[in-house]
Amino acid sequence: MNKLSSSAVTTTWLAILLIVIDQLTKYWANTSLTLGEPMAILPHLNLTLVYNYGAAFSFLSEVGGWQRWFFTVLALIVGTALVIWLAKLPKRWTLEVVAINLVLSGAIGNVIDRILAGRVTDFVDFYIGSWHYATFNVADMGISIGAVLLIISEFWLKPRREKKAQSTEESV
């Protein structure tokens, strides 16, 4: 049996599905919303089309254009590392596997925007009073949720499993 087919790489259909959802929602935002004009959805939640030429929280958005390629290359490196990580994991749905797929989908979803348009389309605007969180998109949600799940998996669940396995070995 092929080693890749017995690894968690086979779970990347989840990342692909989320990339498609991300791109469809960005297409909808670009064709249905007016740049900078909020559309109220719920209390504390608007849909507001904005373009991000930098990274998270518009980091490096005003530095002359080189950041487009820097963040593209960085995301491709991270995406490659995540696929390699999945290739080393067994073919099983674990929190770690789901988290890696979420981060992978977000990285690739935003890279598609950077390559095709030179910027990332954001449209989810959460606010309280006059304070607005950074506007974001489905890819950003994948990265954020995936990162939190990876932290939980790697720093809380995995050490607990290892400790339990160690105590089982000692009692044998």
Side-chain angles (χ1 to χ4, degrees):
M1 181 186 267
N2 182 339
K3 185 174 180 169
L4 284 180
S5 66
S6 63
S7 75
V9 168
T10 58
T11 66
T12 56
W13 64 265
L14 174 60
I16 293 166
L17 174 65
L18 293 171
I19 291 166
V20 169
I21 292 168
D22 173 65
Q23 291 301 300
L24 288 173
T25 58
K26 288 173 180 173
Y27 175 80
W28 174 85
N30 278 305
T31 58
S32 301
L33 300 174
T34 303
L35 187 64
E37 290 186 23
M39 176 194 297
I41 299 298
L42 297 169
H44 310 291
L45 181 66
N46 292 333
L47 297 179
T48 307
L49 178 63
V50 297
Y51 298 128
N52 184 351
Y53 294 88
F57 304 99
S58 295
F59 177 66
L60 296 178
S61 63
E62 311 264 334
V63 295
W66 62 265
Q67 73 278 16
R68 171 187 185 184
W69 301 111
F70 172 75
F71 291 125
T72 297
V73 169
L74 181 62
L76 291 172
I77 291 168
V78 168
T80 301
L82 292 171
V83 171
I84 291 168
W85 189 352
L86 285 171
K88 293 180 179 184
L89 295 174
K91 183 180 179 178
R92 233 177 328 162
W93 285 101
T94 63
L95 189 62
E96 180 180 24
V97 167
V98 170
I100 292 168
N101 274 287
L102 288 171
V103 175
L104 179 62
S105 71
I108 299 303
N110 283 340
V111 147
I112 291 169
D113 283 17
R114 287 185 204 291
I115 290 171
L116 297 179
R119 53 160 168 71
V120 174
T121 298
D122 291 325
F123 58 92
V124 180
D125 176 23
F126 174 75
Y127 67 94
I128 298 174
S130 62
W131 174 84
H132 288 255
Y133 187 73
T135 307
F136 55 95
N137 58 45
V138 173
D140 297 334
M141 288 185 254
I143 293 169
S144 299
I145 294 167
V148 168
L149 294 178
L150 266 178
I151 290 167
I152 292 168
S153 173
E154 297 303 306
F155 297 107
W156 189 64
L157 295 177
K158 195 175 273 186
R160 289 174 58 115
R161 280 192 308 269
E162 289 169 358
K163 186 176 180 181
K164 185 176 179 180
Q166 184 180 18
S167 67
T168 304
E169 288 174 8
E170 290 172 357
S171 66
V172 171

